Amino acid sequence: MEMDQEKFNKVIEAARMYYILDYNQSEIAKKLGVSRPTVSRLLQTAKEEGIVQIKIVDSSINSEKLSSQLEQKFNLKKAIVTPVPQYENHIIKSHLGVAAADYLYDIVKDGDIIGVTWGTTLYQVAIDLKQKYVNDVQVVQLKGGVSHSETSTYASEIMYLFGKAYNTPPMHLPLPVIVDHVVVKKAMETDRHIKRILDLGKQANIAVFTTGPIKTDSLLFQLGYFSEQDVEMISSRAVGDICSRFFDKDGQICNESLDERTLGLDLEELKKKEYAILVAGGDQKIDSIYGALQGKFANVLVTDQFTARFLLDKQE
C-alpha cells in the first residue's frame, strides 16, 4: 500500500466513523478538519484499497433449497444452483462455467470417458476447468463440429481444453453435425475411425452438454441443412435441441427424418449415462431446459437461481 501513514490513518478514521459509528460525511469533515469532498475521497480509497470490504448477504437466494426442490421435482441425481448477479446471458454463462467445472473436478476419476458438445456455454466450462491428475481418462466429442459458417462453434478449443485438464489427447468428430441424406450419414458411420469415435461417445459415462433455444438465426439454421418443412416443423413444435437433436416440451424428438441425418449421440443414450450434465440458464433457455428435464435427458443440472425459480414455477 503506497500511502503515507498520516493519510492512511485518515482513511481508517473516516471509514470507522462512516461505517461503524454512522456519522454522515459532513460530520466526519468537521471532526477531521477536512472538506466534504475529501471525506468522500477517503471513503472511496478505503473501498479501493480493501480496507473496507462490503459483503451483501442476499438471503433471498437460498441455493441449497432451490437445488433440493429441483432434484425432487425433476428426479435429478444433483442440481447445482449458482447465484448470478444479473440475468444476462454472458454473465450467466461465466458463472455456470465455474460451477460446472468445479463439479467435474469433484467427480472425474481414473478411467472415465467424458463426452462433450460445443457452443459458448461449453466453452465457458472448458475455460474454467481445473487440472486434475487422473489416469486413462478419455475425452470425446459427442456431435459433429465442422460448421460451414463464420460463427465459431469453439469445438476445437473446447476439446483441447478438456484434453489438457485431464491430461489426454481428445478425440474429435471432424464432421458436419447434420448431412443432407441418410445415405451419407450411414456411409460416414461405417468409416472405422468415425465409428470408433461414435462408439466411444456411447460408452462415455459422463456427458456434458447444454440445450439451445430455437432461434432461426442460430448456427444450425444458418448452415442450410434444413428444408422448408424442417424449419416449419421445428419452429412450431420444438422447444430446444441437445446435440442438434430437436425435442418438444415433453422431451419427445420432433423430427425423425432430420434426426436420422444428424451425426452424433442419440438422446436416448443420455439416459444411460452415469452423469448426464446439463449446463444451461437464461430466459431464452427455460423452455428447452424444461423439455430436456421432462425427457429425462439429464440427471445433473447446473443452472442459476433465476432459471431455477422459473423451472420450479412451471406447471406440467
Side-chain angles (χ1 to χ4, degrees):
M1 160 139 14
E2 292 301 311
M3 200 190 303
D4 63 36
Q5 195 55 44
E6 190 185 353
K7 174 157 187 218
F8 181 65
N9 293 345
K10 275 209 165 109
V11 169
I12 297 275
E13 196 50 27
R16 204 174 62 86
M17 290 187 200
Y18 188 72
Y19 289 105
I20 296 173
L21 304 174
D22 270 338
Y23 287 16
N24 67 31
Q25 295 194 9
S26 22
E27 291 169 344
I28 299 171
K30 275 208 200 83
K31 287 219 179 285
L32 294 182
V34 296
S35 71
R36 206 180 145 282
T38 303
V39 173
S40 171
R41 276 199 301 276
L42 292 171
L43 294 174
Q44 191 54 38
T45 306
K47 278 198 282 200
E48 283 165 4
E49 295 290 345
I51 294 166
V52 168
Q53 294 175 1
I54 295 176
K55 182 179 169 204
I56 296 175
V57 180
D58 183 351
S59 57
S60 67
I61 302 175
N62 185 339
S63 301
E64 267 69 55
K65 186 166 177 231
L66 289 172
S67 297
S68 63
Q69 287 173 331
L70 285 169
E71 284 162 8
Q72 281 167 352
K73 176 167 181 174
F74 297 105
N75 195 13
L76 297 165
K77 177 183 267 189
K78 184 149 187 72
I80 296 164
V81 176
T82 183
V84 299
Q86 275 162 290
Y87 206 41
E88 271 177 44
N89 284 335
H90 66 280
I91 295 178
I92 295 169
K93 281 175 187 171
S94 67
H95 283 73
L96 296 186
V98 174
D102 287 349
Y103 181 64
L104 284 167
Y105 186 81
D106 292 342
I107 63 167
V108 172
K109 57 187 188 320
D110 292 356
D112 278 344
I113 303 174
I114 306 170
V116 181
T117 62
W118 41 257
T120 48
T121 304
L122 265 292
Y123 184 50
Q124 276 301 153
V125 177
I127 291 172
D128 292 312
L129 290 173
K130 296 204 276 279
Q131 182 90 38
K132 188 166 189 182
Y133 296 96
V134 278
N135 298 309
D136 309 319
V137 163
Q138 295 180 80
V139 170
V140 62
Q141 194 173 326
L142 291 179
K143 67 168 178 174
V146 174
S147 82
H148 308 293
S149 83
E150 277 65 86
T151 328
S152 173
T153 60
Y154 293 108
S156 55
E157 295 91 329
I158 292 166
M159 296 304 290
Y160 167 75
L161 291 165
F162 265 85
K164 202 171 79 150
Y166 304 115
N167 169 26
T168 180
M171 310 282 278
H172 294 267
L173 191 54
L175 297 169
V177 65
I178 293 175
V179 289
D180 280 342
H181 297 285
V182 178
V183 201
V184 179
K185 175 180 156 174
K186 295 256 188 290
M188 283 179 166
E189 288 179 334
T190 51
D191 174 274
R192 261 182 336 186
H193 174 68
I194 291 169
K195 188 175 179 331
R196 200 174 97 238
I197 292 173
L198 292 170
D199 286 347
L200 196 61
K202 286 199 183 97
Q203 292 161 31
N205 60 316
I206 299 175
V208 191
F209 54 94
T210 188
T211 136
I214 301 302
K215 294 204 298 255
T216 32
D217 58 351
S218 75
L219 212 52
L220 270 181
F221 289 86
Q222 290 166 14
L223 302 185
Y225 287 120
F226 298 155
S227 66
E228 296 274 297
Q229 293 113 300
D230 289 341
V231 172
E232 178 131 329
M233 221 298 314
I234 291 168
S235 317
S236 62
R237 272 188 57 210
V239 293
D241 83 288
I242 292 173
C243 287
S244 306
R245 295 180 186 278
F246 292 87
F247 51 85
D248 64 18
K249 62 179 177 30
D250 305 315
Q252 300 294 318
I253 288 290
C254 278
N255 186 332
E256 295 300 336
S257 76
L258 178 61
D259 205 51
E260 281 164 9
R261 307 192 331 253
T262 305
L263 277 150
L265 196 74
D266 282 320
L267 296 189
E268 284 303 308
E269 295 287 335
L270 287 173
K271 301 178 183 180
K272 307 174 190 165
K273 304 289 182 214
E274 181 186 359
Y275 297 99
I277 306 168
L278 170 55
V279 185
D283 56 352
Q284 293 182 316
K285 291 194 176 190
I286 294 162
D287 291 340
S288 61
I289 298 168
Y290 191 78
L293 295 176
Q294 292 297 85
K296 305 270 178 280
F297 301 135
N299 57 22
V300 176
L301 172 66
V302 181
T303 194
D304 62 87
Q305 83 273 26
F306 299 106
T307 307
R309 291 213 175 97
F310 284 124
L311 292 168
L312 291 168
D313 292 342
K314 224 165 148 46
Q315 292 313 313
E316 313 299 302

